[in-house]
Amino acid sequence: QVQLVESGGGLVQPGGSLRLSCAASGNIFRINAMAWYRQAPGKPREFVARITSTRISNYADSVKGRFTISRNNAENTVYLQMSSLKPEDTAVYYCNANIMPIMQDVYDYWGQGTQVTVSS
């Protein structure tokens, strides 16, 4: 069974920084792209950033220049470094990974989410 577990959320003042982590565990054969999404109250889930297994990354326009996605392939972990945070970044942040478990088909897995609140 594959699991994604996020950590690092919390309350931060506008202009501050946070670093989110997401660790994948279980019977993993290969992890392809990993990504972060977020969902603010009353809004649909939206794409934030994505990184391939070869570390090619892309970002939503709203976070470009402020957020950085990275990954540690040896530890099956993806990170989201968030800087210059704004109140509109407040949301539950979800980790997503395209994973091939051992002896199974590729599937998109989701973490349980971690709350990020930007407020003074």
Side-chain angles (χ1 to χ4, degrees), residues 1-4 23-29 31 76 99-102:
Q1 180 128 6
V2 173
Q3 283 188 318
L4 298 180
S25 63
N27 57 329
I28 296 170
F29 176 71
I31 300 179
N76 293 338
I99 296 174
M100 176 180 281
I102 297 171

Side-chain angles (χ1 to χ4, degrees), residues 17-81:
S17 298
L18 274 179
R19 188 193 195 208
L20 305 183
S21 301
C22 172
S25 63
N27 57 329
I28 296 170
F29 176 71
R30 184 179 71 239
I31 300 179
N32 298 317
M34 304 182 84
W36 290 94
Y37 288 74
R38 67 186 182 186
Q39 188 167 20
K43 294 187 177 181
R45 191 172 298 188
E46 65 174 5
F47 168 77
V48 175
R50 178 180 179 269
I51 186 167
T52 69
S53 58
T54 55
R55 296 185 172 84
I56 296 172
S57 59
N58 61 299
Y59 299 88
D61 288 343
S62 59
V63 306
K64 215 172 278 186
R66 300 188 298 121
F67 291 11
T68 301
I69 190 170
S70 61
R71 64 190 284 173
N72 182 325
N73 289 336
E75 296 184 356
N76 293 338
T77 301
V78 63
Y79 304 96
L80 186 68
Q81 177 67 47

